[in-house]
Amino acid sequence: MHVVVPFAAETPKTRLAPVLAPEERSVFARAMLEDVLTAIEATGHETTVVSTAPLERDAARSATVVVDDRPLTAAVNARLPTSREDEPVAVVMADLALTTTEALERLFATGGDVVIAPGRGAGTNALVVRHPEFRVDYHGGSYLDHREIAAEIGADLETIDSFRLGTDVDEPADLVEVLVHGTDRAPACLRDLGFELDTSDGRVGVVRVEDAVSSERRSESK
Ligand SMILES: Nc1nc2c(ncn2[C@@H]2O[C@H](COP(=O)(O)OP(=O)(O)OP(=O)(O)O)[C@@H](O)[C@H]2O)c(=O)[nH]1
Ligand SMILES: C[C@H](OP(=O)(O)O)C(=O)O
């Protein structure tokens, strides 16, 4: 199994703009990427980060970084198997901040031509491709599209029910999950930025305790 981790390095996580300035989104996206890579590293599979721009990473870490400025779908399709003899490829998104090695091992061990861990809103958070004709088509409810694509080529599709793989961090409300269930750099990054859980109105949300200067900088840079 070869693991591909796509990463939008330049302007990541734009849907978090209501709560994070561009530089903060960049730092947080990198923290999530490192957590995902740590979880993958322990599975022992060779890993390539497919990044839209060069990334500075600790050289001791095991993943290779390649730069590919094509859109997500094209960059992933260029790396999928093209024959039955090719090694299977897993695609694991860089914003799965709750990912664990155990959750990934379950995904990788599940048989099937195509195995998907969907996200809420019908995204394709993590995927294994063993069929040489399967190609991805991300965005716009891609899990539903991927089911159709698999059916068209006669590929078996398995779906994994996983809270940890099914939780991608897209919207401000998703930060709750990072603070509650995250274990490494991503929750630490949020706490450094002043985020904490807020249960004051009987529901669980996040609040940001920040100084006036950083608040002003954020509203200026939106
Ligand atoms: N290589 C590559 N990775 C991408 C691209 N667009 C998104 N990604 C990555 O694909 C995964 C899922 O993407 P999104 O959830 O849309 O993340 P995002 O683009 O950072 O967030 P938004 O700007 O809020 O859409 C994340 O790991 C992103 O880093 C792209 O054009 N190229
Ligand atoms: C890449 C995209 O992510 P989402 O926008 O659903 O988070 C998808 O899974 O198709």
Side-chain angles (χ1 to χ4, degrees), residues 89-106:
V89 173
V91 183
V92 178
M93 294 314 192
D95 58 357
L96 305 185
L98 313 189
T99 305
T100 58
T101 301
E102 293 70 26
L104 289 169
E105 279 172 343
R106 184 157 75 90

Side-chain angles (χ1 to χ4, degrees), residues 112-197:
D113 294 329
V114 179
V115 186
I116 296 181
R120 280 164 300 129
T124 303
N125 286 5
L127 165 78
V128 171
V129 180
R130 299 188 177 90
H131 195 290
E133 289 162 54
F134 184 83
R135 293 295 173 266
V136 294
D137 183 5
Y138 283 112
H139 298 299
S142 63
Y143 170 62
L144 299 173
D145 295 332
H146 291 153
R147 283 205 319 208
E148 270 185 32
I149 293 166
E152 278 163 18
I153 61 170
D156 300 336
L157 184 139
E158 294 292 332
T159 297
I160 297 281
D161 177 4
S162 167
F163 170 69
R164 289 196 171 270
L165 296 178
T167 306
D168 51 342
V169 180
D170 291 331
E171 313 279 346
D174 300 330
L175 301 183
V176 169
E177 308 304 335
V178 181
L179 286 177
V180 174
H181 301 286
T183 54
D184 203 348
R185 294 174 187 78
C189 173
L190 289 183
R191 290 193 188 96
D192 284 350
L193 290 168
F195 287 90
E196 53 189 54
L197 291 172

Side-chain angles (χ1 to χ4, degrees), residues 1 5 38 74 134 169 189 214:
M1 183 87 63
V5 181
T38 298
F134 184 83
V169 180
C189 173
S214 56

